[in-house]
Amino acid sequence: MENGSKPFGVKDKIGYMFGDFGNDFTFILSSMMLMKFYSDVMGVSVGLVGIMMMAARFVDAFTDVTMGQIVDRSRSLRRGKFLPWIRRMCGPVALASFLMYASWFADMPMGFKIFWMFFTYLLWGSIFYTSINIPYGSMASAISAEPKDRAQLSNFRTIGATLASTVIGVVLPVLVFYEDEAGNQVLSGPRTSIAAAVCSVGAVICYMLCYYMCTERVKVSQKTEQFRIGELLRGLVTNRALVGIVVCSVLMLLVQLTMQGMTTYVYPNYFKNVAAQSASGLVGLVVTLILATFVVRVQMRFGRKELAIAGSFFGAVVFAFTYFTHTHNAWLFVILSALAYVGLAAFSLICWAMITDVIDDTEVQTGERSDGTIYSVYSFARKLGQAAASGVTGGLLTMIGYSNATQFDPDVTEGIFMLSTLVPAIGFLILGLALLFFYPLNKKRVEDNARILSGRKIDK
């Protein structure tokens, strides 16, 4: 423990949980609802929405690394180096998120609607979300230097994300869909706008709880040397641990966001059962909370990499089984999806501790600690996964002929079921193989790095 602060405890874990609760009030809302909103309410093609989400990641390549450098070069204030950014940016990110769901522009010319979609999405994701998410994620290594404490923070961060996902996945479908004269479940634009406003207010509240409950104990020095992009890129490319976690993060987000995004299509369009969609969100929370009670002990015994591999292969098997059984029972699909989610939840609960492992490994290898810069690269990788999921989902929905006019055609709904099962199955399989062969930080190496860094501090 440094700088005379009180010991790491429950208050830090709950506060850190609220940070990702706030993040995912806007992030998961975008992942689950934005494509559906613009295709069904605003009349924009799903393919164009997917292209926009992928194009925005090129902007993020600059804004994420820039924010990482800003964080690394900022001074530590009374509340620390990272926490002040959460207070500064919570309002702008919440407002930008709300503006993305402007149903009052539904009757405007298509050119204006496409402009508004691009403008607000870039404002939210590439600028404001980046400016709060990178300091928040980097802060884990400043809250505690102990690997077990960081594992707990990763655990609680995932619980926070799951709570947000549950609120959005369980409550929103009941509120934002209505039944038309033909008995179809249709998305309401005005209701979605109101729901987005509520989520934005919830995000600000959660961010402020994070700000006041967390304590930065580990002093992270301010970088003052000249920034050289060439040296940064060379260092990142040769950092095998970072490259490995980047590849795996892209794949994990591809699986996770495809699963989340397709719930807004498979339940209303294929099963015609919004109640089952709400239940699926609640089941995800239950699975995560159950795993959270023992996943830290399991990973400390077997290793984070090892646990993530097992979870990925398990998810692939369950989704492959679901695809080949081709059920028409919405509630059976909820159960099978919950089983597959066990594999994803196990990985999600530990992935944030894995990036602190990468930060430690980089310090061991180079002698320098660059929390903000490394986390910014990791954040960019996660956005690549988000973009890949949106691009793949939008492109495949276009290929099966999905549009506002064809969304309930039998051929289209059959295609929706295929996308909801086969794509995650393949994604899980590739993720497991990537963890096995590309990511080098197994249990022994993580423990060795912790001992090396602890010894260096004692020597000082």
Side-chain angles (χ1 to χ4, degrees), residues 376-398:
S376 70
V377 175
Y378 180 64
S379 175
F380 174 60
R382 289 180 63 84
K383 289 183 178 181
L384 284 178
Q386 180 192 15
S390 301
V392 169
T393 301
L396 292 177
L397 282 169
T398 300

Side-chain angles (χ1 to χ4, degrees), residues 158-267:
T158 302
I159 292 173
T162 305
L163 287 171
S165 179
T166 302
V167 171
I168 295 170
V170 173
V171 179
L172 253 64
V174 178
L175 299 179
V176 300
F177 285 93
Y178 67 93
E179 188 172 304
D180 66 8
E181 296 177 355
N184 297 317
Q185 300 292 328
V186 180
L187 184 67
S188 166
R191 293 183 188 181
T192 303
S193 299
I194 294 172
V198 173
C199 287
S200 291
V201 173
V204 172
I205 293 171
C206 289
Y207 282 135
M208 294 309 297
L209 287 170
C210 174
Y211 175 78
Y212 284 110
M213 296 181 72
C214 289
T215 301
E216 294 184 27
R217 295 170 180 79
V218 181
K219 184 174 177 57
V220 181
S221 60
Q222 179 185 13
K223 279 184 170 291
T224 56
E225 66 272 15
Q226 183 180 356
F227 173 61
R228 294 182 175 86
I229 184 65
E231 292 181 6
L232 172 65
L233 293 175
R234 284 193 296 272
L236 297 179
V237 170
T238 58
N239 187 334
R240 187 184 169 195
L242 181 58
V243 172
I245 199 66
V246 161
V247 171
C248 294
S249 295
V250 170
L251 293 170
M252 184 186 76
L253 266 294
L254 178 62
V255 174
Q256 180 181 8
L257 298 180
T258 299
M259 289 173 61
Q260 290 177 349
M262 288 306 300
T263 59
T264 60
Y265 294 92
V266 70
Y267 287 108

